[in-house]
C-alpha cells in the first residue's frame, strides 16, 4: 500500500499519522488518529458534521485530504474544553437543549467557536448565516441559535471581567 | 404487582423542570459513540454494489474477479442470503429489499456486497463484480403505476380490500376505506362544495447520521450487532429470522442514534453486514454513504389525491370525500391506509369517506417518517378547508373551531374521542398575538391543523438501587431526542429523590426483555409508564426492608418524599429512613433492591396541533421565506418542556422543508437525480426564524401522569399552513408539494395571465 506520512498539530499536540494518498482528512482523523468526534454526514461538504479548523480556518474535513494536513494546525471538537472545563458553547448547548440526537453537535460547536473567535457579538442573522453550512435535522435550529447567543454573551462578560 | 395506568392528577415535584440531559457532556465533547464509532479487532470494511437501473432482470452476477483480489475476504449476493422457510411475507420483502434476488427493483437496490481489509480494496472489489442486467420497463409515478397499461412490478401482487378479488395482478397492493354516514346525502345537503386534486413528492427523513453498523458473526452461529437503530430488539428479531439465526444468540446493541424519524425502524444494510461477517468469519463494519442513504433507505410515499369537501351556508361541514394514492416503493406498504385514518380526524363530519390505495413503484421501499402519511393527507384536506372557509365567508380558524372533533364524538376511523386537544389548540391559535401581527407586501399568514394517533406497545424496564442509594434505570427504548432526561425525571418523581440521583441507561438485547421500537411517539409514554410501575415495585421492596429494619409490620410503613416513615401511635417517633439508609443495609436485609416492570403500555392518547405561519414570496424568483412560525400542540403532560419544545420545533422545520424544497426527483430513466444534500435541499439555519411553541396540557386519561406522545404531530400541519399562507400572500393556491421556487413562479405567471381562479 502506498501512502504518505503526515506531521501535524492537533488540538495543540504534535501528531504523526500515515494514510493513503486519496484518504480524506476526515477518515484519517477518525480512523488513524482516533478523533471520532469528527462526524461524517455526507462526505461531500454539504452537512458540516465534519467541521474542523485548519490553521484557524473553518473547513469540512471530508473535502481535505489527509496529506494536505502536513505541517498544519488542526482544531476539532475534542480540543474545545480546556483545563477540565467545558467551553461556554458546550455548556450552553447542554443548558439550552440545543441538541437532540447530537450527531451534528461537534460540527456546530466548531463552527460556532470559529464565528465567536472572529465576531464576539454576532447578530441573530450573522449567527444563522455563519451556521448555514451545518445541517441539523432535529432541532429546527431554534435552540442552537439561542445557545450560541447565550454563550457569546457569557464569553463577552468573562472577557470584560478579566480585562 | 398489578398497576393502574389511569391518570391521577397528582401534584409534581420534579416533572416539568428543565434538567440537564445525562448524555449531554459526551455529545458536546465528541465522546458519544454512534453507529460508525465502534471497532473490533480484525474488522473488515463492508461495501454494497447497487443497481444503476430502475428495474432490471439480473441475468448473472460474476464475483470471481472480486473474490480473487488480494485483501477481499468475502463477497455476498442473494445466494448467500436465501429466504428461510416460513419467513413471513413482510420480512421476506425486507430481505429482498436488503439484497436483490432475480430482479433489481429500483435505482440503488443492493445486488452484491464485499468485505475487504480496507476501504480502498473494498471499493476496487465492487468495480470487479460483473452484473449482467436486462433492463425492464419501469414506473416511478404513482398515478402512472395505477394505469391499466403500466408495467406490473410484481406478478404475485393482487389488490386486497376489493370485492371481487381482481383477476389480474397490478401495482395496487391494497385498497382501504374508512368513513361515516351517507356521502351522497351529505353532499346533497351542502351549499358549497370544494373539489381539488393535490400531489406531493417523496421526501427523505434526512437524519444526519447515515446507517452504520458493526456485525460480528461467529462460526458457532452466535453473533452481535452494534448499530444505529430506533429498536435494537426488533432489529435482533428481524435480522435473526432473516439469516436463520437463533434470536437469543444475536445480541444487538444500539449505538447513540444520529437521528431516525422513522427511517431507522427498518433494516437496510444490517442483514448484509451480518451475512458478510458470517461468510468472512471476521467482524465487518458497514457504513452507508449519503448517496446510498438517499437511493436505498426509507423515503416517504409520493402521493396523488382528490379531496372533496361540502358545507352548509352556516359553515357546518356536512360531507367529505378523500381518495388518496400513496406510493410504497418496491414493496407493499400500509401508507394509503394510514392516510385514510388520519385525513379527517380533526373534524366532526357526519358523512365522510376516506379511500386509500397503496401502490408499488420502482422506487426504494418506503419507511415511516414522523407521523407517516399524515402530512400529505393534511396538505390536501387543510388546503381545501381554507378554500371552503372562504367560500362560506368564515374566518379559517372559526370555521375549523365550528367543525372540530369533540370529546364523546365518533371519529371517522373508529374510536370514540376521549378528552382531546383540537379545540384547545384552535382557541390558542385564535387568541395568539401572532394572529394580530401586521403583514407587509407579498406576505401572508396561514394556519392548519394536524393529528397523530400515538402508540404504546411492549415495554419493560429495570430499576436498580445501589448500596449508596443512587438509582439505575435501564430502559429498552432508544433515546432519539432526550428521553433519558425525561425518564430520569419520572423515576425521581416516583421515588421522591433528586433527579441527579438517577442514572438512565439504554439496554442491549442481552440485558432486558423485549421492547418495541422508539416509534409512534411512544418512547417517553411507554418507557415512562414502565418506569413508574418499576419504581412503585421498588418502593414496595423499600417499605419491606424498612419494616424489617424497624421490626414492625410492613403495613405500618409508608413511603413519602424519598423516605420510609413509620405510621401509627406506636412507631410515629421512629426517625424516617431515607432511600440511601435502606440501601446501605440492603446486603443484610435481603440483598439487592430493585423494581422491574413488563407491560403492554395501553392507553396512548391522541395528539392534535395547530400551526400558524407567516411567509413572504419573492415575486421575481418564486422563493418563499418563512418569517414567523408558531406551533401549538397538546402534550398531555410535558415531562421535560425543553425536549417537548424541541420536538415541536424540529417537526415544524422538517415540515417547512417538505413544503418548500425537499423532493425526490426522478429522470425518465427512473434514476434518482438528487441523491445528496446539495440537490436535496433541507432547511439550513439561515432559512428559518425562531419557531415559537405553546405547550397545552390536556391530560391523557390512559397514563398515570397524563402523558401523550409529542414527537410526530408537529410535522403534520406545516405543508398546508404554508400553502394557505402562500394563497393569502399572493393569491395563488398551490396544489403540488414542494412549493418550490419554479412551481411558485409558474403559478404566479399563470395567475397574472388568467386571474386568480386558475391554480397551480
Amino acid at each position: 500500500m502506498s501512502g504518505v506520512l503526515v506531521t501535524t498539530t492537533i488540538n495543540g499536540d504534535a501528531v504523526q499519522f500515515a494514510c493513503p494518498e486519496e484518504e480524506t482528512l476526515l477518515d484519517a482523523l477518525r480512523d488513524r488518529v482516533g478523533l471520532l468526534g469528527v462526524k461524517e454526514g455526507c462526505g461531500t461538504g454539504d452537512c458540516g458534521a465534519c467541521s474542523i479548523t485548519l490553521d484557524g480556518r473553518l473547513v469540512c474535513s471530508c473535502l481535505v485530504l489527509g496529506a494536505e494536513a502536513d505541517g498544519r494546525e488542526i482544531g476539532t471538537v475534542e480540543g474545545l474544553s480546556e483545563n477540565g472545563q467545558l467551553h461556554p458553547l458546550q455548556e450552553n448547548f447542554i443548558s439550552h437543549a440545543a441538541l437532540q440526537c447530537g450527531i451534528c453537535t461537534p460540527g456546530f460547536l466548531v463552527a460556532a467557536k470559529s464565528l465567536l473567535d472572529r465576531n464576539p457579538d454576532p447578530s441573530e442573522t450573522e449567527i444563522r448565516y455563519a451556521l448555514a453550512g451545518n445541517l441539523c435535522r432535529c432541532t429546527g435550529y431554534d435552540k442552537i441559535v439561542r445557545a450560541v447567543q447565550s454563550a457569546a454573551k457569557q464569553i463577552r462578560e468573562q472577557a470584560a471581567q478579566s480585562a | 404487582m398489578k398497576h393502574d395506568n389511569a391518570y391521577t392528577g397528582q401534584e409534581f415535584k420534579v416533572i416539568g423542570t428543565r434538567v440537564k440531559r445525562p448524555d449531554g457532556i459526551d455529545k458536546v465533547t465528541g465522546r458519544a459513540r454512534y453507529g460508525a464509532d465502534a471497532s473490533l479487532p480484525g474488522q473488515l470494511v463492508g461495501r454494497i454494489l447497487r443497481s444503476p437501473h430502475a428495474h432490471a432482470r439480473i441475468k448473472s452476477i460474476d464475483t470471481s474477479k472480486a473474490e480473487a483480489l488480494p485483501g477481499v475476504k468475502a463477497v455476498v449476493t442473494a445466494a448467500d442470503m436465501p429466504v428461510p422457510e416460513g419467513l413471513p411475507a413482510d420480512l421476506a420483502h425486507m430481505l429482498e429489499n436488503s439484497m436483490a434476488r432475480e430482479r433489481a427493483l429500483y435505482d440503488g437496490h443492493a445486488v452484491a456486497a464485499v468485505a475487504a481489509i480496507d476501504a480502498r480494496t473494498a471499493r476496487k472489489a465492487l468495480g470487479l463484480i460483473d452484473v449482467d442486467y436486462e433492463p425492464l420497463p419501469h414506473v416511478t409515478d404513482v398515478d402512472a403505476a395505477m394505469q391499466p397499461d403500466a408495467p406490473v412490478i410484481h406478478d404475485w401482487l393482487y389488490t386486497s380490500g376489493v370485492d371481487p378479488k381482481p383477476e389480474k395482478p397490478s401495482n395496487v397492493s391494497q385498497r382501504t376505506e374508512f368513513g361515516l354516514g351517507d356521502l351522497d346525502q351529505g353532499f346533497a345537503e351542502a351549499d358549497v362544495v370544494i373539489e381539488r386534486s393535490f400531489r406531493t413528492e417523496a421526501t427523505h427523513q434526512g437524519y444526519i447520521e447515515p446507517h452504520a453498523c458493526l456485525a460480528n458473526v461467529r462460526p458457532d452461529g452466535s453473533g452481535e450487532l452494534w448499530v444505529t437503530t430506533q429498536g435494537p430488539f426488533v432489529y435482533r428479531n428481524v435480522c435473526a429470522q432473516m439469516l436463520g439465526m437463533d434470536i437469543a444468540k444475536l445480541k444487538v446493541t444500539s449505538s447513540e442514534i444520529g437521528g431516525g424519524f422513522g427511517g431507522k425502524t427498518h433494516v437496510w444494510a444490517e442483514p448484509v453486514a451480518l451475512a458478510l461477517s458470517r461468510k468472512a468469519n471476521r467482524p465487518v463494519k458497514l457504513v452507508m454513504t449519503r448517496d446510498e442513504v438517499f437511493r436505498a433507505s426509507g423515503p416517504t410515499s409520493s402521493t396523488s389525491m382528490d379531496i372533496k369537501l361540502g358545507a352548509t351556508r352556516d359553515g357546518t361541514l356536512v360531507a367529505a370525500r378523500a381518495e388518496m394514492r400513496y406510493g410504497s416503493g418496491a414493496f407493499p406498504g400500509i401508507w394509503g391506509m394510514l392516510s385514510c385514518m388520519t385525513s379527517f380526524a380533526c373534524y366532526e363530519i357526519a358523512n365522510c369517506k376516506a379511500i386509500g390505495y397503496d401502490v408499488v413503484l420502482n422506487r426504494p421501499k418506503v419507511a415511516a417518517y414522523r407521523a407517516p402519511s399524515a402530512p400529505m393527507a393534511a396538505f390536501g384536506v387543510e388546503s381545501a378547508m381554507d378554500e371552503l372557509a372562504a367560500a362560506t365567508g368564515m374566518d379559517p380558524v372559526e370555521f375549523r373551531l365550528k367543525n372540530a372533533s369533540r370529546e364523546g364524538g365518533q371519529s371517522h376511523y373508529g374510536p370514540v374521542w376521549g378528552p382531546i386537544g383540537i379545540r384547545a389548540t384552535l382557541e390558542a391559535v385564535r387568541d395568539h398575538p401572532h394572529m394580530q401581527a401586521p403583514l407587509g407586501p407579498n406576505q401572508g399568514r396561514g394556519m392548519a391543523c394536524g393529528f397523530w394517533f400515538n402508540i404504546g406497545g411492549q415495554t419493560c424496564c429495570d430499576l436498580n438501587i445501589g448500596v449508596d442509594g443512587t438509582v439505575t434505570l435501564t430502559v429498552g427504548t432508544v433515546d432519539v431526542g432526550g428521553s433519558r432526561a425525561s425518564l430520569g425525571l419520572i423515576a425521581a418523581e416516583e421515588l421522591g429523590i433528586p433527579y441527579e440521583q438517577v442514572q438512565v441507561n439504554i439496554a442491549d438485547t442481552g440485558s432486558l426483555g423485549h421492547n418495541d421500537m422508539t416509534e409512534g411517539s411512544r418512547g417517553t409514554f411507554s418507557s415512562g409508564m414502565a418506569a413508574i410501575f418499576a419504581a412503585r415495585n421498588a418502593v414496595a421492596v423499600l417499605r419491606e426492608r424498612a419494616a424489617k429494619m424497624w421490626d414492625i409490620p410492613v403495613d405500618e410503613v409508608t413511603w413519602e418524599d424519598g423516605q420510609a416513615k413509620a405510621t401509627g401511635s406506636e412507631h410515629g417517633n421512629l426517625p424516617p429512613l431515607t432511600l440511601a439508609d435502606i440501601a446501605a443495609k440492603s446486603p443484610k436485609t435481603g440483598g439487592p433492591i430493585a423494581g422491574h416492570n413488563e407491560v403492554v403500555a395501553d392507553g396512548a392518547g391522541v395528539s392534535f396541533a395547530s400551526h400558524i405561519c407567516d411567509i413572504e414570496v419573492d415575486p421575481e424568483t418564486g422563493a418563499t421565506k418563512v418569517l414567523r412560525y408558531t406551533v401549538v400542540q397538546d402534550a398531555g403532560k410535558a415531562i421535560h418542556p425543553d425536549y417537548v419544545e424541541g420536538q415541536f420545533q424540529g417537526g415544524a422545520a422538517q415540515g417547512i422543508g417538505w413544503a418548500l424544497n425537499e423532493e425526490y426527483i426522478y429522470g425518465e430513466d427512473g434514476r434518482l437525480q438528487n441523491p445528496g444534500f446539495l440537490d436535496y435541499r433541507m432547511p439550513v439555519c439561515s432559512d428559518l426564524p425562531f419557531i415559537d411553541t405553546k405547550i397545552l396540557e390536556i391530560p391523557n386519561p390512559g397514563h398515570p401522569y397524563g402523558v401523550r406522545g409529542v414527537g410526530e404531530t408537529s410535522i403534520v400541519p406545516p405543508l398546508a399552513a404554508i400553502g394557505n399562507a402562500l394563497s393569502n400572500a399572493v393569491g395563488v393556491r398551490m396544489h403540488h408539494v414542494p412549493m418550490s421556487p419554479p412551481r411558485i413562479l409558474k403559478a404566479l405567471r399563470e395567475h397574472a395571465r388568467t386571474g386568480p381562479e386558475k391554480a397551480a
Side-chain angles (χ1 to χ4, degrees):
Chain A
M1 187 181 86
S2 57
V4 285
L5 182 67
V6 178
T7 303
T8 178
T9 304
I10 304 179
N11 300 326
D13 296 325
V15 173
Q16 274 195 332
F17 61 85
C19 70
E21 294 92 337
E22 78 273 17
E23 186 164 285
T24 64
L25 181 54
L26 166 63
D27 286 344
L29 289 173
R30 285 180 56 83
D31 300 340
R32 320 260 167 217
V33 188
L35 292 174
L36 294 170
V38 190
K39 301 299 180 194
E40 175 167 346
C42 67
T44 50
D46 299 314
C47 79
C50 67
S51 296
I52 60 162
T53 55
L54 193 60
D55 289 342
R57 185 175 158 218
L58 183 68
V59 296
C60 288
S61 59
C62 71
L63 297 183
V64 179
L65 291 174
E68 291 179 273
D70 193 54
R72 317 277 290 272
E73 285 197 20
I74 292 169
T76 74
V77 69
E78 287 91 346
L80 275 189
S81 49
E82 283 175 358
N83 307 321
Q85 292 286 310
L86 292 182
H87 187 276
L89 278 164
Q90 293 172 310
E91 287 284 4
N92 278 279
F93 265 59
I94 296 173
S95 60
H96 284 77
L99 53 136
Q100 286 179 31
C101 83
I103 192 87
C104 69
T105 305
F108 267 97
L109 288 167
V110 171
K113 174 155 189 305
S114 172
L115 166 68
L116 299 188
D117 285 348
R118 285 177 279 122
N119 178 359
D121 191 7
S123 67
E124 182 202 333
T125 304
E126 285 172 330
I127 293 172
R128 287 189 180 278
Y129 278 87
L131 300 180
N134 294 75
L135 287 175
C136 169
R137 193 59 157 173
C138 294
T139 65
Y141 306 102
D142 184 295
K143 293 181 191 300
I144 292 176
V145 175
R146 292 180 199 279
V148 174
Q149 287 176 323
S150 173
K153 184 161 175 271
Q154 212 172 306
I155 294 168
R156 287 196 307 275
E157 285 168 0
Q158 282 168 4
Q161 274 169 14
S162 58
Chain B
M1 195 190 295
K2 181 112 180 79
H3 296 285
D4 188 356
N5 68 344
Y7 174 66
T8 60
Q10 75 186 80
E11 294 288 317
F12 295 117
K13 292 195 173 70
V14 294
I15 296 295
T17 59
R18 299 176 188 249
V19 294
K20 290 183 183 178
R21 60 193 292 162
D23 51 328
I25 291 173
D26 278 356
K27 286 182 174 170
V28 300
T29 53
R31 292 178 215 168
R33 295 199 309 150
Y34 293 84
D37 298 338
S39 294
L40 281 171
Q43 80 184 25
L44 303 170
V45 175
R47 284 249 175 188
I48 295 179
L49 184 69
R50 298 183 180 277
S51 166
H53 299 287
H55 193 192
R57 189 175 315 287
I58 299 171
K59 292 163 75 177
S60 65
I61 304 181
D62 181 356
T63 59
S64 57
K65 277 181 273 181
E67 281 162 353
L69 183 70
V72 172
K73 303 296 178 185
V75 181
V76 302
T77 64
D80 300 284
M81 303 171 70
V83 181
E85 203 174 318
L87 191 70
D90 59 333
L91 294 192
H93 294 160
M94 275 188 216
L95 181 57
E96 183 174 353
N97 188 54
S98 289
M99 187 57 73
R101 318 267 119 181
E102 68 273 17
R103 285 178 303 144
L105 296 168
Y106 55 91
D107 166 39
H109 198 171
V111 296
V114 304
I117 51 162
D118 57 25
R120 181 192 266 182
T121 309
R123 267 198 304 274
K124 199 169 169 190
L126 287 189
L128 294 174
I129 297 173
D130 190 11
V131 186
D132 187 7
Y133 293 103
E134 176 195 340
L136 298 170
H138 65 269
V139 59
T140 56
D141 179 86
V142 68
D143 286 327
M146 292 179 75
Q147 297 305 310
D149 60 346
V152 173
I153 296 173
H154 298 300
D155 60 10
W156 45 262
L157 188 61
Y158 291 79
T159 310
S160 68
V162 292
D163 190 29
K165 185 185 177 223
E167 289 170 5
K168 289 193 303 185
S170 75
N171 294 322
V172 181
S173 64
Q174 171 173 244
R175 180 189 185 278
T176 41
E177 188 180 312
F178 290 85
L180 295 168
D182 181 331
L183 209 58
D184 291 337
Q185 190 191 320
F187 280 111
E189 285 171 24
D191 299 308
V192 191
V193 173
I194 295 288
E195 190 168 7
R196 298 284 183 264
S197 296
F198 299 90
R199 287 180 67 82
T200 68
E201 298 303 328
T203 54
H204 196 275
Q205 295 87 347
Y207 31 81
I208 307 301
E209 181 201 27
H211 299 276
C213 66
L214 174 59
N216 178 27
V217 181
R218 309 180 189 96
D220 66 358
S222 70
E224 56 191 349
L225 182 69
W226 162 275
V227 59
T228 175
T229 172
Q230 290 174 243
F233 296 91
V234 175
Y235 269 38
R236 173 189 65 172
N237 296 359
V238 164
C239 287
Q241 287 181 80
M242 281 181 178
L243 294 161
M245 298 171 75
D246 293 337
I247 285 174
K249 288 187 181 163
L250 178 61
K251 183 172 95 171
V252 177
T253 305
S254 59
S255 68
E256 291 294 338
I257 178 172
F261 316 109
K264 290 173 185 167
T265 60
H266 194 295
V267 298
W268 311 102
E270 295 79 7
V272 179
L274 288 162
L276 282 168
S277 175
R278 177 165 66 183
K279 193 163 183 180
N281 189 22
R282 298 263 292 264
V284 173
K285 183 153 149 182
L286 204 162
V287 181
M288 281 167 76
T289 63
R290 181 55 55 180
D291 174 274
E292 290 180 285
V293 171
F294 274 112
R295 287 168 69 210
S297 76
T300 65
S301 302
S302 52
T303 76
S304 159
M305 63 190 104
D306 307 312
I307 308 290
K308 185 179 176 186
L309 303 179
T312 52
R313 238 170 242 110
D314 70 346
T316 306
L317 198 51
V318 288
R321 183 180 191 280
E323 186 175 310
M324 297 171 285
R325 299 165 291 274
Y326 275 53
S328 61
F331 297 94
I334 55 162
W335 315 112
M337 183 182 76
L338 290 177
S339 78
C340 288
M341 296 170 75
T342 58
S343 55
F344 297 133
C346 293
Y347 306 108
E348 199 164 74
I349 314 171
N351 309 288
C352 64
K353 187 183 279 188
I355 302 160
Y357 292 98
D358 275 290
V359 185
V360 295
L361 302 170
N362 292 114
R363 290 183 180 225
K365 187 174 189 291
V366 165
Y369 177 23
R370 206 169 199 153
S373 298
M376 306 83 133
F379 173 61
V381 171
E382 290 291 299
S383 295
M385 282 294 286
D386 250 37
E387 285 203 72
L388 194 56
T392 56
M394 284 183 76
D395 171 80
V397 181
E398 293 298 341
F399 179 62
R400 285 175 172 85
L401 261 172
K402 185 175 171 70
N403 293 291
S405 295
R406 62 189 80 214
E407 185 173 354
Q410 172 67 52
S411 72
H412 78 288
Y413 72 92
V416 171
W417 296 120
I420 53 173
I422 179 69
R423 304 184 74 80
T425 64
L426 280 163
E427 284 160 1
V429 160
R430 179 192 61 200
D431 301 337
H432 199 286
H434 184 164
M435 291 301 274
Q436 307 307 324
L439 291 165
N442 297 315
Q443 297 181 356
R445 176 167 302 135
M447 61 80 51
C449 301
F451 159 82
W452 184 247
F453 313 94
N454 299 333
I455 63 168
Q458 299 180 81
T459 314
C460 62
C461 75
D462 285 348
L463 187 149
N464 290 289
I465 298 174
V467 286
D468 61 352
T470 58
V471 173
T472 306
L473 178 68
T474 303
V475 301
T477 46
V478 170
D479 179 353
V480 298
S483 62
R484 270 168 289 198
S486 299
L487 297 171
L489 282 169
I490 288 172
E493 182 74 44
E494 207 54 45
L495 294 170
I497 57 175
Y499 166 78
E500 291 71 22
Q501 210 169 318
V502 182
Q503 180 68 34
V504 183
N505 294 324
I506 311 293
D508 62 58
T509 60
S511 309
L512 199 65
H514 178 86
N515 277 264
D516 290 340
M517 302 253 191
T518 299
E519 63 179 355
S521 299
R522 71 177 288 275
T524 300
F525 169 81
S526 58
S527 272
M529 189 185 288
I532 290 169
F533 297 159
R536 289 178 184 173
N537 290 340
V539 165
V541 179
L542 288 162
R543 286 176 52 233
E544 283 167 16
R545 299 298 177 86
K548 201 168 181 179
M549 287 164 73
W550 281 322
D551 196 20
I552 65 173
V554 69
D555 308 355
E556 293 171 16
V557 180
T558 60
W559 188 261
E560 283 171 47
D561 300 329
Q563 295 178 320
K565 291 181 181 165
T567 59
S569 53
E570 286 176 52
H571 322 300
N573 56 353
L574 287 167
L577 290 168
T578 65
L579 188 145
D581 295 335
I582 302 167
K585 298 279 188 231
S586 63
K588 290 183 176 161
T589 57
I593 300 174
H596 309 277
N597 183 251
E598 293 85 33
V599 66
V600 176
D602 289 330
V606 296
S607 158
F608 290 91
S610 297
H611 291 193
I612 319 166
C613 83
D614 295 355
I615 56 99
E616 179 173 334
V617 180
D618 179 345
E620 298 291 315
T621 63
T624 301
K625 176 99 183 155
V626 178
L627 304 172
R628 182 170 179 179
Y629 204 98
T630 302
V631 176
V632 182
Q633 187 174 319
D634 174 19
K637 176 67 199 173
I639 300 293
H640 192 310
D642 275 346
Y643 293 106
V644 173
E645 292 164 3
Q647 291 296 317
F648 291 5
Q649 291 163 335
Q654 286 182 318
I656 291 167
W658 197 337
L660 292 175
N661 271 309
E662 296 178 34
E663 67 176 305
Y664 267 44
I665 300 170
Y666 279 90
E668 288 293 315
D669 59 1
R671 298 182 66 180
L672 182 61
Q673 296 186 334
N674 58 336
F677 282 141
L678 189 62
D679 298 316
Y680 180 94
R681 197 181 178 291
M682 308 200 309
V684 300
C685 199
S686 54
D687 291 331
L688 296 175
F690 285 122
I691 296 171
D692 295 333
T693 56
K694 187 169 176 61
I695 302 172
L696 302 185
E697 294 186 327
I698 297 155
N700 168 20
H703 188 281
Y705 293 178
V707 170
R708 298 173 191 271
V710 298
E712 291 170 287
T713 314
S714 57
I715 200 174
V716 182
L719 283 63
I722 289 174
N724 292 339
L726 265 161
S727 172
N728 294 331
V730 289
V732 295
R733 170 60 60 183
M734 301 299 292
H735 294 136
H736 193 168
V737 158
M739 297 169 273
S740 54
R743 286 202 186 102
I744 289 176
L745 209 52
K746 186 162 170 273
L748 287 172
R749 286 179 181 154
E750 186 79 0
H751 177 65
R753 204 164 56 78
T754 63
E757 294 310 312
K758 287 284 175 188

